[in-house]
């Protein structure tokens, strides 16, 4: 009789677990789709934040990127935000963390919940009180055990995430961290390309770059002035 009585409860619990897993999978897919909209860092940050607030139903969020200052300290600078007034943005631009505090975000339980009274910025605490927001969640943006930044969101949505969802939130942190790393690499390549083109065009001698078939596919500004701009493709 006991076994018969427990079966409906087990089935109900399993159904609830499956629903949650499906919901989490859909959220990850939605965030991933948003992250693939651009390769530029600022676009990636803004799209990631918008996707998270929309899918997780949070009012406010901010992404801080790591800026190393010295051996034992680092600064985290505001890189993207949603839901903050211009006055509030001015007061939450950056904060510092010790190296030890930062490394704790690479632990097995890196996602943190902070009550309103422990929020660093006084203006933000005031805004949270006005909005009846009691806590924020801090999600490290990770890649290969390295912290690239921190994502802060107000835990005020209908879902109200608790510590039992830490692994799911950690997965989001890795997802965004990988996108940030790719975008930073892309931006650095773009900068290097621009700097190379500027240097190439600044050379005072005529320079031609040819391909394997001995056709010209790139000339500098000096070549263009001397020989004209119709050299591309010629042998």
């Amino acid at each position: 009789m006991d076994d018969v009585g427990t079966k409906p409860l087990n089935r109900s619990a399993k159904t609830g677990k499956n629903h949650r897993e499906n919901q989490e999978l859909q959220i990850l897919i939605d965030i991933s789709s948003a992250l693939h909209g651009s390769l530029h860092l600022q676009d990636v940050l803004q799209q990631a934040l918008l996707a998270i607030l929309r899918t997780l139903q949070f009012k406010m969020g901010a992404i801080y990127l790591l800026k190393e200052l010295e051996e034992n300290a680092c600064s985290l600078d505001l890189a993207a935000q949603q839901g903050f007034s211009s006055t509030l943005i001015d007061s939450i631009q950056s904060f510092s963390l010790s190296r030890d505090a930062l490394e704790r975000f690479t632990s097995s339980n890196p996602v943190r919940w902070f009550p309103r009274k422990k929020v660093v910025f006084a203006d933000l605490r005031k805004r949270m009180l006005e909005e009846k927001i009691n806590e924020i969640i801090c999600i490290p943006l990770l890649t290969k055990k390295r912290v690239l930044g921190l994502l802060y969101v107000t835990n005020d949505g209908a879902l109200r995430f608790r510590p039992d969802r830490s692994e799911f939130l950690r997965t989001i942190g890795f997802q965004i961290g990988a996108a940030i790393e790719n975008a930073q690499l892309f931006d650095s390549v773009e900068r290097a390309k621009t700097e190379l083109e500027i240097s190439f065009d600044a050379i005072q001698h005529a320079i031609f770059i040819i391909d394997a078939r001995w056709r010209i596919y790139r000339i500098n500004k000096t070549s263009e002035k001397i020989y004209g701009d119709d050299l591309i493709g010629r042998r």
Side-chain angles (χ1 to χ4, degrees), residues 19 39 53 73 91 114 167 174 189 221 232:
H19 174 72
L39 285 173
L53 297 186
S91 65
F114 292 104
E167 190 59 34
F174 273 109
V189 170
K221 292 293 184 183
I232 305 299

Side-chain angles (χ1 to χ4, degrees), residues 68-74 98-100 103:
E68 296 186 9
L69 296 178
E70 53 190 51
E71 186 176 348
N72 295 318
C74 57
S98 68
R99 184 74 59 185
D100 289 341
E103 287 179 355

Side-chain angles (χ1 to χ4, degrees), residues 28-208:
L28 292 175
I29 291 171
D30 290 344
I31 294 173
S32 178
S33 297
L35 291 175
H36 284 84
S38 173
L39 285 173
H40 291 285
L41 179 60
Q42 196 55 48
D43 292 338
V44 166
L45 294 173
Q46 206 61 41
Q47 288 166 6
L49 194 52
L50 284 170
I52 287 165
L53 297 186
R54 183 181 68 251
T55 56
L56 303 186
Q57 303 173 35
F58 297 137
K59 287 182 181 177
M60 297 188 290
I63 292 177
Y64 288 83
L65 292 185
L66 179 66
K67 180 182 178 182
E68 296 186 9
L69 296 178
E70 53 190 51
E71 186 176 348
N72 295 318
C74 57
S75 172
L76 287 125
D77 297 338
L78 183 66
Q81 60 77 31
Q82 282 292 322
F84 297 91
S85 66
S86 56
T87 303
L88 189 52
I89 291 170
D90 290 338
S91 65
I92 61 168
Q93 284 295 312
S94 64
F95 63 95
S96 297
L97 278 181
S98 68
R99 184 74 59 185
D100 289 341
L102 190 68
E103 287 179 355
R104 284 198 287 272
F105 283 106
T106 63
S107 68
S108 57
N109 297 303
V111 180
R112 310 288 171 82
W113 275 255
F114 292 104
R116 184 173 57 234
K117 65 181 180 181
K118 288 195 174 182
V119 172
V120 176
F121 305 109
D123 289 346
L124 181 54
R125 290 198 301 271
K126 181 180 177 183
R127 171 71 185 279
M128 289 174 67
L129 181 62
E130 292 170 352
E131 296 284 343
K132 295 183 171 63
I133 299 170
N134 295 321
E135 65 181 359
I136 59 173
I137 304 174
C138 176
I139 305 169
L141 307 177
L142 300 162
T143 176
K144 297 179 180 177
K145 289 292 183 180
R146 187 166 68 94
V147 179
L148 298 178
L150 297 174
L151 164 65
Y152 289 92
V153 291
T154 53
N155 193 20
D156 56 349
L159 299 178
R160 289 295 173 101
F161 286 91
R162 305 296 353 139
D164 65 331
R165 309 289 288 276
S166 289
E167 190 59 34
F168 167 62
L169 296 175
R170 183 168 177 260
T171 301
I172 291 177
F174 273 109
Q175 190 179 33
I176 298 173
I180 289 173
E181 187 176 52
N182 290 337
Q184 287 175 333
L185 178 60
F186 179 79
D187 280 1
S188 67
V189 170
E190 287 282 286
R191 283 195 301 272
K193 180 183 176 184
T194 301
E195 291 169 2
L196 180 61
E197 288 178 347
I198 292 171
S199 300
F200 183 72
D201 285 332
I203 297 172
Q204 297 302 308
H205 300 285
I207 298 178
F208 306 83

Side-chain angles (χ1 to χ4, degrees), residues 4-24:
V4 174
T6 58
K7 282 182 181 179
L9 293 176
N10 291 338
R11 193 179 300 117
S12 176
K14 187 175 180 180
T15 301
K17 181 182 178 183
N18 289 340
H19 174 72
R20 192 175 88 169
E21 288 176 350
N22 290 337
Q23 182 188 52
E24 291 178 352

